[in-house]
Amino acid sequence: MTTPSALERPRDVPLSRRLAARLVLLPAFLLALLPPRRIRAVLGVLRRGAAPATSAQARKARDALCAASLYCAGPKGCLPRSLGAALLCRLGGTWPTWCTGVRVVPPFTAHAWIEAGGHPVGEGVPEGYFARLVTVGPLPRPTDR
């Protein structure tokens, strides 16, 4: 899964955040080896009890992954980058919407990304650029009585 992009490696990510990103890299790469239905099942379990991630939280997680891994910062690293960012958000008690899909304009390319508030985080593409095929969003919070 990939989409053409320039290599963007954030430099202002604190050391503690980069270390946390390194912690989730191995699980993210292992999850990326699974078929889509298994990835969705695992993420469906992991999202339980998490609050929805804000755009800022999701962006910080994505930036940390790009700072910690040159592969994740590259154009072919979208799947482990998105999985790692979701896992990093989960470590902080939140959950973004994890998505996979395709570009809506030719040429066909598959891509994986995270969203917060219904908008792609850090992708640099206009709204509606990708068609979602698989999503794992935060669970609705029970209302207090």
Side-chain angles (χ1 to χ4, degrees):
M1 295 183 177
T2 185
T3 187
S5 64
L7 190 61
E8 176 189 332
R9 201 150 185 212
R11 304 228 182 262
D12 59 346
V13 178
L15 177 62
S16 61
R17 195 86 173 144
R18 284 185 310 221
L19 291 175
R22 289 232 175 232
L23 180 71
V24 300
L25 274 175
L26 180 61
F29 278 106
L30 292 175
L31 270 174
L33 298 174
L34 297 176
R37 65 183 168 80
R38 294 282 170 109
I39 294 173
R40 184 174 49 196
V42 169
L43 295 181
V45 170
L46 293 176
R47 71 180 173 174
R48 292 181 186 160
T54 64
S55 293
Q57 291 167 326
R59 179 62 186 224
K60 285 180 183 179
R62 186 185 187 280
D63 285 351
L65 260 293
C66 291
S69 168
L70 188 58
Y71 183 80
C72 286
K76 294 185 178 182
C78 66
L79 184 56
R81 176 177 60 234
S82 64
L83 290 167
L87 294 175
L88 193 54
C89 281
R90 185 61 185 103
L91 284 178
T94 63
W95 188 261
T97 300
W98 177 81
C99 306
T100 60
V102 295
R103 282 179 26 168
V104 296
V105 294
F108 168 84
T109 56
H111 190 55
W113 67 98
I114 59 171
E115 293 183 354
H119 304 288
V121 174
E123 295 299 323
V125 295
E127 195 69 31
Y129 189 78
F130 297 112
R132 293 175 200 89
L133 298 177
V134 178
T135 62
V136 180
L139 291 172
R141 304 290 288 195
T143 58
D144 295 345
R145 294 180 186 204

